[in-house]
PDB file of all heavy atoms in Angstrom:
ATOM      1  N   THR S 306      17.385  28.478  -2.094  1.00 98.00           N
ATOM      2  CA  THR S 306      17.787  28.026  -0.841  1.00 98.00           C
ATOM      3  C   THR S 306      17.047  26.734  -0.722  1.00 98.00           C
ATOM      4  O   THR S 306      15.810  26.711  -0.634  1.00 98.00           O
ATOM      5  CB  THR S 306      17.527  28.994   0.207  1.00 98.00           C
ATOM      6  OG1 THR S 306      18.015  30.297  -0.058  1.00 98.00           O
ATOM      7  CG2 THR S 306      17.917  28.578   1.614  1.00 98.00           C
ATOM      8  N   VAL S 307      17.838  25.545  -0.551  1.00 98.00           N
ATOM      9  CA  VAL S 307      17.137  24.346  -0.570  1.00 98.00           C
ATOM     10  C   VAL S 307      17.177  23.649   0.852  1.00 98.00           C
ATOM     11  O   VAL S 307      18.255  23.545   1.396  1.00 98.00           O
ATOM     12  CB  VAL S 307      17.798  23.302  -1.597  1.00 98.00           C
ATOM     13  CG1 VAL S 307      17.084  22.013  -1.588  1.00 98.00           C
ATOM     14  CG2 VAL S 307      17.861  23.933  -2.979  1.00 98.00           C
ATOM     15  N   VAL S 308      16.067  23.294   1.344  1.00 98.00           N
ATOM     16  CA  VAL S 308      15.975  22.644   2.645  1.00 98.00           C
ATOM     17  C   VAL S 308      15.551  21.206   2.420  1.00 98.00           C
ATOM     18  O   VAL S 308      14.674  20.948   1.453  1.00 98.00           O
ATOM     19  CB  VAL S 308      14.902  23.378   3.491  1.00 98.00           C
ATOM     20  CG1 VAL S 308      14.518  22.508   4.857  1.00 98.00           C
ATOM     21  CG2 VAL S 308      15.357  24.759   3.954  1.00 98.00           C
ATOM     22  N   ASP S 309      16.114  20.328   3.192  1.00 97.00           N
ATOM     23  CA  ASP S 309      15.885  18.822   2.942  1.00 97.00           C
ATOM     24  C   ASP S 309      14.831  18.297   3.723  1.00 97.00           C
ATOM     25  O   ASP S 309      14.712  18.406   4.983  1.00 97.00           O
ATOM     26  CB  ASP S 309      17.164  18.084   3.265  1.00 97.00           C
ATOM     27  CG  ASP S 309      17.830  17.618   2.076  1.00 97.00           C
ATOM     28  OD1 ASP S 309      17.137  17.005   1.174  1.00 97.00           O
ATOM     29  OD2 ASP S 309      19.072  17.716   1.947  1.00 97.00           O
ATOM     30  N   GLY S 310      13.886  17.653   3.106  1.00 97.00           N
ATOM     31  CA  GLY S 310      12.898  16.711   3.846  1.00 97.00           C
ATOM     32  C   GLY S 310      11.666  17.382   4.077  1.00 97.00           C
ATOM     33  O   GLY S 310      11.527  18.509   4.556  1.00 97.00           O
ATOM     34  N   ILE S 311      10.490  16.656   3.873  1.00 97.00           N
ATOM     35  CA  ILE S 311       9.130  17.095   4.148  1.00 97.00           C
ATOM     36  C   ILE S 311       8.919  17.575   5.592  1.00 97.00           C
ATOM     37  O   ILE S 311       8.257  18.461   5.940  1.00 97.00           O
ATOM     38  CB  ILE S 311       8.103  15.998   3.724  1.00 97.00           C
ATOM     39  CG1 ILE S 311       6.679  16.564   3.878  1.00 97.00           C
ATOM     40  CG2 ILE S 311       8.186  14.704   4.573  1.00 97.00           C
ATOM     41  CD1 ILE S 311       6.194  17.353   2.753  1.00 97.00           C
ATOM     42  N   ASP S 312       9.621  16.805   6.549  1.00 96.00           N
ATOM     43  CA  ASP S 312       9.448  17.154   7.963  1.00 96.00           C
ATOM     44  C   ASP S 312      10.079  18.575   8.311  1.00 96.00           C
ATOM     45  O   ASP S 312       9.710  19.141   9.361  1.00 96.00           O
ATOM     46  CB  ASP S 312      10.318  16.147   8.792  1.00 96.00           C
ATOM     47  CG  ASP S 312       9.589  14.755   8.780  1.00 96.00           C
ATOM     48  OD1 ASP S 312       8.382  14.734   8.451  1.00 96.00           O
ATOM     49  OD2 ASP S 312      10.282  13.685   8.949  1.00 96.00           O
ATOM     50  N   ASN S 313      10.817  19.075   7.412  1.00 97.00           N
ATOM     51  CA  ASN S 313      11.473  20.470   7.709  1.00 97.00           C
ATOM     52  C   ASN S 313      10.660  21.575   6.892  1.00 97.00           C
ATOM     53  O   ASN S 313      11.183  22.680   6.811  1.00 97.00           O
ATOM     54  CB  ASN S 313      12.940  20.569   7.259  1.00 97.00           C
ATOM     55  CG  ASN S 313      13.760  19.525   8.302  1.00 97.00           C
ATOM     56  OD1 ASN S 313      13.437  19.563   9.340  1.00 97.00           O
ATOM     57  ND2 ASN S 313      14.617  18.881   7.584  1.00 97.00           N
ATOM     58  N   SER S 314       9.537  21.181   6.288  1.00 98.00           N
ATOM     59  CA  SER S 314       8.907  22.184   5.439  1.00 98.00           C
ATOM     60  C   SER S 314       8.305  23.366   6.238  1.00 98.00           C
ATOM     61  O   SER S 314       8.256  24.446   5.670  1.00 98.00           O
ATOM     62  CB  SER S 314       7.843  21.510   4.490  1.00 98.00           C
ATOM     63  OG  SER S 314       7.036  20.690   5.188  1.00 98.00           O
ATOM     64  N   VAL S 315       7.674  22.989   7.291  1.00 97.00           N
ATOM     65  CA  VAL S 315       7.153  24.222   8.139  1.00 97.00           C
ATOM     66  C   VAL S 315       8.209  25.145   8.576  1.00 97.00           C
ATOM     67  O   VAL S 315       8.208  26.363   8.379  1.00 97.00           O
ATOM     68  CB  VAL S 315       6.486  23.619   9.457  1.00 97.00           C
ATOM     69  CG1 VAL S 315       6.073  24.774  10.329  1.00 97.00           C
ATOM     70  CG2 VAL S 315       5.131  22.974   9.005  1.00 97.00           C
ATOM     71  N   GLN S 316       9.384  24.581   9.028  1.00 98.00           N
ATOM     72  CA  GLN S 316      10.539  25.419   9.397  1.00 98.00           C
ATOM     73  C   GLN S 316      10.974  26.296   8.183  1.00 98.00           C
ATOM     74  O   GLN S 316      11.385  27.397   8.293  1.00 98.00           O
ATOM     75  CB  GLN S 316      11.633  24.657  10.009  1.00 98.00           C
ATOM     76  CG  GLN S 316      12.579  25.339  10.882  1.00 98.00           C
ATOM     77  CD  GLN S 316      11.952  26.226  11.946  1.00 98.00           C
ATOM     78  OE1 GLN S 316      11.004  25.823  12.729  1.00 98.00           O
ATOM     79  NE2 GLN S 316      12.160  27.544  11.932  1.00 98.00           N
ATOM     80  N   ALA S 317      11.057  25.616   7.036  1.00 98.00           N
ATOM     81  CA  ALA S 317      11.495  26.287   5.750  1.00 98.00           C
ATOM     82  C   ALA S 317      10.583  27.465   5.491  1.00 98.00           C
ATOM     83  O   ALA S 317      11.066  28.488   5.156  1.00 98.00           O
ATOM     84  CB  ALA S 317      11.465  25.393   4.611  1.00 98.00           C
ATOM     85  N   PHE S 318       9.290  27.274   5.644  1.00 98.00           N
ATOM     86  CA  PHE S 318       8.325  28.328   5.487  1.00 98.00           C
ATOM     87  C   PHE S 318       8.607  29.467   6.396  1.00 98.00           C
ATOM     88  O   PHE S 318       8.653  30.644   6.024  1.00 98.00           O
ATOM     89  CB  PHE S 318       6.870  27.789   5.565  1.00 98.00           C
ATOM     90  CG  PHE S 318       5.817  28.956   5.612  1.00 98.00           C
ATOM     91  CD1 PHE S 318       5.468  29.613   4.484  1.00 98.00           C
ATOM     92  CD2 PHE S 318       5.233  29.356   6.770  1.00 98.00           C
ATOM     93  CE1 PHE S 318       4.484  30.548   4.333  1.00 98.00           C
ATOM     94  CE2 PHE S 318       4.280  30.445   6.764  1.00 98.00           C
ATOM     95  CZ  PHE S 318       3.945  30.980   5.590  1.00 98.00           C
ATOM     96  N   LEU S 319       8.763  29.148   7.615  1.00 98.00           N
ATOM     97  CA  LEU S 319       8.987  30.118   8.764  1.00 98.00           C
ATOM     98  C   LEU S 319      10.265  30.979   8.488  1.00 98.00           C
ATOM     99  O   LEU S 319      10.365  32.172   8.559  1.00 98.00           O
ATOM    100  CB  LEU S 319       8.885  29.556  10.140  1.00 98.00           C
ATOM    101  CG  LEU S 319       7.531  28.904  10.573  1.00 98.00           C
ATOM    102  CD1 LEU S 319       7.749  28.234  11.860  1.00 98.00           C
ATOM    103  CD2 LEU S 319       6.498  30.064  10.557  1.00 98.00           C
ATOM    104  N   ASP S 320      11.336  30.173   8.123  1.00 98.00           N
ATOM    105  CA  ASP S 320      12.644  30.701   7.866  1.00 98.00           C
ATOM    106  C   ASP S 320      12.506  31.750   6.639  1.00 98.00           C
ATOM    107  O   ASP S 320      13.214  32.830   6.699  1.00 98.00           O
ATOM    108  CB  ASP S 320      13.705  29.703   7.648  1.00 98.00           C
ATOM    109  CG  ASP S 320      14.025  28.983   8.858  1.00 98.00           C
ATOM    110  OD1 ASP S 320      13.733  29.476   9.971  1.00 98.00           O
ATOM    111  OD2 ASP S 320      14.698  27.904   8.823  1.00 98.00           O
ATOM    112  N   MET S 321      11.794  31.289   5.617  1.00 98.00           N
ATOM    113  CA  MET S 321      11.659  32.170   4.416  1.00 98.00           C
ATOM    114  C   MET S 321      10.988  33.471   4.812  1.00 98.00           C
ATOM    115  O   MET S 321      11.389  34.610   4.434  1.00 98.00           O
ATOM    116  CB  MET S 321      10.909  31.347   3.336  1.00 98.00           C
ATOM    117  CG  MET S 321      10.519  32.176   2.097  1.00 98.00           C
ATOM    118  SD  MET S 321       9.102  33.252   2.274  1.00 98.00           S
ATOM    119  CE  MET S 321       7.776  31.953   2.604  1.00 98.00           C
ATOM    120  N   MET S 322       9.967  33.424   5.643  1.00 98.00           N
ATOM    121  CA  MET S 322       9.292  34.703   6.084  1.00 98.00           C
ATOM    122  C   MET S 322      10.155  35.581   6.898  1.00 98.00           C
ATOM    123  O   MET S 322       9.986  36.724   6.868  1.00 98.00           O
ATOM    124  CB  MET S 322       7.968  34.229   6.912  1.00 98.00           C
ATOM    125  CG  MET S 322       6.877  33.555   6.123  1.00 98.00           C
ATOM    126  SD  MET S 322       6.086  34.475   4.762  1.00 98.00           S
ATOM    127  CE  MET S 322       5.126  35.690   5.672  1.00 98.00           C
ATOM    128  N   ALA S 323      11.134  34.898   7.561  1.00 97.00           N
ATOM    129  CA  ALA S 323      12.016  35.778   8.400  1.00 97.00           C
ATOM    130  C   ALA S 323      13.264  36.201   7.623  1.00 97.00           C
ATOM    131  O   ALA S 323      14.142  36.836   8.192  1.00 97.00           O
ATOM    132  CB  ALA S 323      12.371  34.917   9.628  1.00 97.00           C
ATOM    133  N   GLY S 324      13.412  35.718   6.415  1.00 98.00           N
ATOM    134  CA  GLY S 324      14.466  36.194   5.548  1.00 98.00           C
ATOM    135  C   GLY S 324      15.800  35.295   5.527  1.00 98.00           C
ATOM    136  O   GLY S 324      16.833  35.768   5.045  1.00 98.00           O
ATOM    137  N   ALA S 325      15.586  34.037   5.933  1.00 97.00           N
ATOM    138  CA  ALA S 325      16.820  33.161   5.870  1.00 97.00           C
ATOM    139  C   ALA S 325      17.147  32.698   4.506  1.00 97.00           C
ATOM    140  O   ALA S 325      18.213  32.056   4.233  1.00 97.00           O
ATOM    141  CB  ALA S 325      16.455  31.920   6.752  1.00 97.00           C
ATOM    142  N   ASN S 326      16.273  32.967   3.507  1.00 97.00           N
ATOM    143  CA  ASN S 326      16.636  32.620   2.058  1.00 97.00           C
ATOM    144  C   ASN S 326      17.294  33.690   1.256  1.00 97.00           C
ATOM    145  O   ASN S 326      17.055  34.792   1.456  1.00 97.00           O
ATOM    146  CB  ASN S 326      15.297  32.127   1.470  1.00 97.00           C
ATOM    147  CG  ASN S 326      14.368  33.251   1.350  1.00 97.00           C
ATOM    148  OD1 ASN S 326      14.118  34.015   2.267  1.00 97.00           O
ATOM    149  ND2 ASN S 326      13.805  33.568   0.043  1.00 97.00           N
ATOM    150  N   THR S 327      18.027  33.057   0.261  1.00 96.00           N
ATOM    151  CA  THR S 327      18.316  34.007  -0.800  1.00 96.00           C
ATOM    152  C   THR S 327      17.707  33.221  -2.004  1.00 96.00           C
ATOM    153  O   THR S 327      17.858  32.087  -2.078  1.00 96.00           O
ATOM    154  CB  THR S 327      19.784  34.347  -1.102  1.00 96.00           C
ATOM    155  OG1 THR S 327      20.576  33.167  -1.017  1.00 96.00           O
ATOM    156  CG2 THR S 327      20.315  35.224   0.064  1.00 96.00           C
ATOM    157  N   GLY S 328      17.115  33.978  -2.989  1.00 97.00           N
ATOM    158  CA  GLY S 328      16.492  33.387  -4.044  1.00 97.00           C
ATOM    159  C   GLY S 328      15.312  32.566  -3.560  1.00 97.00           C
ATOM    160  O   GLY S 328      14.856  32.835  -2.474  1.00 97.00           O
ATOM    161  N   LYS S 329      14.895  31.584  -4.330  1.00 97.00           N
ATOM    162  CA  LYS S 329      13.645  30.848  -4.057  1.00 97.00           C
ATOM    163  C   LYS S 329      13.864  29.827  -2.903  1.00 97.00           C
ATOM    164  O   LYS S 329      14.796  29.024  -3.064  1.00 97.00           O
ATOM    165  CB  LYS S 329      13.089  30.187  -5.333  1.00 97.00           C
ATOM    166  CG  LYS S 329      11.906  29.376  -5.123  1.00 97.00           C
ATOM    167  CD  LYS S 329      10.596  30.307  -5.091  1.00 97.00           C
ATOM    168  CE  LYS S 329       9.384  29.431  -4.745  1.00 97.00           C
ATOM    169  NZ  LYS S 329       9.104  29.262  -3.319  1.00 97.00           N
ATOM    170  N   MET S 330      13.059  29.834  -1.872  1.00 98.00           N
ATOM    171  CA  MET S 330      13.082  28.836  -0.876  1.00 98.00           C
ATOM    172  C   MET S 330      12.288  27.548  -1.379  1.00 98.00           C
ATOM    173  O   MET S 330      11.144  27.773  -1.663  1.00 98.00           O
ATOM    174  CB  MET S 330      12.557  29.339   0.418  1.00 98.00           C
ATOM    175  CG  MET S 330      12.494  28.327   1.546  1.00 98.00           C
ATOM    176  SD  MET S 330      14.203  28.024   2.195  1.00 98.00           S
ATOM    177  CE  MET S 330      14.190  29.012   3.694  1.00 98.00           C
ATOM    178  N   VAL S 331      12.950  26.449  -1.450  1.00 98.00           N
ATOM    179  CA  VAL S 331      12.188  25.137  -1.779  1.00 98.00           C
ATOM    180  C   VAL S 331      12.587  24.039  -0.858  1.00 98.00           C
ATOM    181  O   VAL S 331      13.699  24.143  -0.188  1.00 98.00           O
ATOM    182  CB  VAL S 331      12.573  24.701  -3.321  1.00 98.00           C
ATOM    183  CG1 VAL S 331      11.964  25.723  -4.334  1.00 98.00           C
ATOM    184  CG2 VAL S 331      13.967  24.460  -3.514  1.00 98.00           C
ATOM    185  N   VAL S 332      11.665  23.047  -0.792  1.00 98.00           N
ATOM    186  CA  VAL S 332      12.016  21.995   0.042  1.00 98.00           C
ATOM    187  C   VAL S 332      12.242  20.745  -0.856  1.00 98.00           C
ATOM    188  O   VAL S 332      11.393  20.510  -1.767  1.00 98.00           O
ATOM    189  CB  VAL S 332      10.853  21.593   1.047  1.00 98.00           C
ATOM    190  CG1 VAL S 332      11.137  20.432   1.799  1.00 98.00           C
ATOM    191  CG2 VAL S 332      10.560  22.921   1.844  1.00 98.00           C
ATOM    192  N   LYS S 333      13.227  20.012  -0.591  1.00 98.00           N
ATOM    193  CA  LYS S 333      13.705  18.829  -1.452  1.00 98.00           C
ATOM    194  C   LYS S 333      13.095  17.769  -0.722  1.00 98.00           C
ATOM    195  O   LYS S 333      13.318  17.507   0.413  1.00 98.00           O
ATOM    196  CB  LYS S 333      15.255  18.755  -1.510  1.00 98.00           C
ATOM    197  CG  LYS S 333      15.750  17.679  -2.459  1.00 98.00           C
ATOM    198  CD  LYS S 333      17.264  18.020  -2.768  1.00 98.00           C
ATOM    199  CE  LYS S 333      17.729  17.107  -3.800  1.00 98.00           C
ATOM    200  NZ  LYS S 333      18.364  16.024  -3.413  1.00 98.00           N
ATOM    201  N   ILE S 334      12.314  16.859  -1.499  1.00 96.00           N
ATOM    202  CA  ILE S 334      11.728  15.776  -0.927  1.00 96.00           C
ATOM    203  C   ILE S 334      12.607  14.469  -1.193  1.00 96.00           C
ATOM    204  O   ILE S 334      12.981  14.255  -2.277  1.00 96.00           O
ATOM    205  CB  ILE S 334      10.342  15.566  -1.513  1.00 96.00           C
ATOM    206  CG1 ILE S 334       9.420  16.790  -1.404  1.00 96.00           C
ATOM    207  CG2 ILE S 334       9.687  14.281  -0.894  1.00 96.00           C
ATOM    208  CD1 ILE S 334       9.181  17.115   0.027  1.00 96.00           C
TER     209      ILE S 334
END
Side-chain angles (χ1 to χ4, degrees):
T306 304
V307 182
V308 168
D309 250 314
I311 187 80
D312 290 338
N313 294 319
S314 49
V315 168
Q316 199 54 50
F318 171 75
L319 295 174
D320 287 348
M321 176 277 298
M322 293 297 287
N326 60 310
T327 50
K329 180 78 185 87
M330 177 73 100
V331 292
V332 179
K333 186 165 192 262
I334 304 298

